[in-house]
Amino acid sequence: MYLMLPEETDVVGEDYSDARLSGQTWSQRTFTNCNFRDADLTGIKTESVVFTDCDFTGTDLGESVHVGTAFRSCNFARTSLWHSTFRNCSLMGSTFEGCRIRPLTLEEVDFSLTALGGADLRKIDFTSCRFREANLVRTDMRGAILASADLTGARTGGLKLEGADLRGARIDASLWTSATVGNAKIELMQAVSYASAHGLVVDI
């Protein structure tokens, strides 16, 4: 059943599971502890909306557009995000599991403290995005663009970065030994850090 949301700007604890909400535009609203399980949110547009502790399990967010929106500590399990766009958004503390993510358009998105372990993020452009203290264990970022991204404090065991562009990225020294980085593009000082992490001494 297609559902139009009520006009109130602060929504708490509502159940929108299985609802058809596609194509709607939401602006300057807050949703707290709301259930969007298996809902159809294809093509929705949000601007300056805040979702806190919301459940998007099985939700279809394909082709949606989000500007200045925050998804705080939300659950994305088996969620479809492909062909969606996030500009100046925050996904801080959210969890992603078994999601269909690619292709995805991002502009300066904050993934700090997110759980993205094992996610397929190949060839996505993450330029200037933040992954501070994120879980990237066994995440596949082969061919991704991480130019000027911030990965400080991220857990990177088994992270796949072959062919990725890491130029200008903020990276902890531990990444050079915990991730696979064959054929990645890096800068001179990053190369020095890589060599040092592997016990080499570089005389510049």
Side-chain angles (χ1 to χ4, degrees), residues 47-68:
E47 184 173 358
S48 301
V49 175
V50 178
F51 298 92
T52 303
D53 294 317
C54 293
D55 189 355
F56 292 94
T57 297
T59 305
D60 191 346
L61 279 160
E63 301 180 349
S64 58
V65 177
H66 311 277
V67 180

Side-chain angles (χ1 to χ4, degrees), residues 64-131:
S64 58
V65 177
H66 311 277
V67 180
T69 289
F71 296 84
R72 299 172 179 168
S73 300
C74 293
N75 182 44
F76 296 89
R78 306 185 310 280
T79 307
S80 178
L81 295 163
W82 72 323
H83 293 291
S84 56
T85 299
F86 294 82
R87 295 190 176 96
N88 302 111
C89 291
S90 173
L91 293 159
M92 183 177 290
S94 292
T95 300
F96 296 81
E97 182 178 358
C99 296
R100 185 177 186 180
I101 297 176
R102 301 183 306 127
L104 186 70
T105 300
L106 304 169
E107 294 181 14
E108 297 190 16
V109 175
D110 189 355
F111 291 95
S112 297
L113 298 171
T114 56
L116 286 159
D120 182 359
L121 305 178
R122 289 173 294 162
K123 298 183 179 180
I124 295 177
D125 188 345
F126 293 105
T127 299
S128 299
C129 290
R130 294 178 295 281
F131 292 91

Side-chain angles (χ1 to χ4, degrees), residues 116-167:
L116 286 159
D120 182 359
L121 305 178
R122 289 173 294 162
K123 298 183 179 180
I124 295 177
D125 188 345
F126 293 105
T127 299
S128 299
C129 290
R130 294 178 295 281
F131 292 91
R132 297 172 186 167
E133 300 184 48
N135 177 8
L136 299 176
V137 174
R138 296 186 300 279
T139 300
D140 191 346
M141 300 179 101
R142 288 177 292 174
I145 300 175
L146 289 154
S148 301
D150 187 352
L151 287 86
T152 53
R155 295 169 54 195
T156 54
L159 172 61
K160 299 176 182 178
L161 287 170
E162 292 98 328
D165 186 348
L166 299 171
R167 291 173 294 183

Side-chain angles (χ1 to χ4, degrees), residues 157-191:
L159 172 61
K160 299 176 182 178
L161 287 170
E162 292 98 328
D165 186 348
L166 299 171
R167 291 173 294 183
R170 297 180 60 187
I171 295 170
D172 293 336
S174 60
L175 178 141
W176 301 120
T177 56
S178 62
T180 54
V181 294
N183 295 316
K185 296 178 181 178
I186 60 175
E187 297 175 334
L188 176 59
M189 293 311 298
Q190 291 174 321

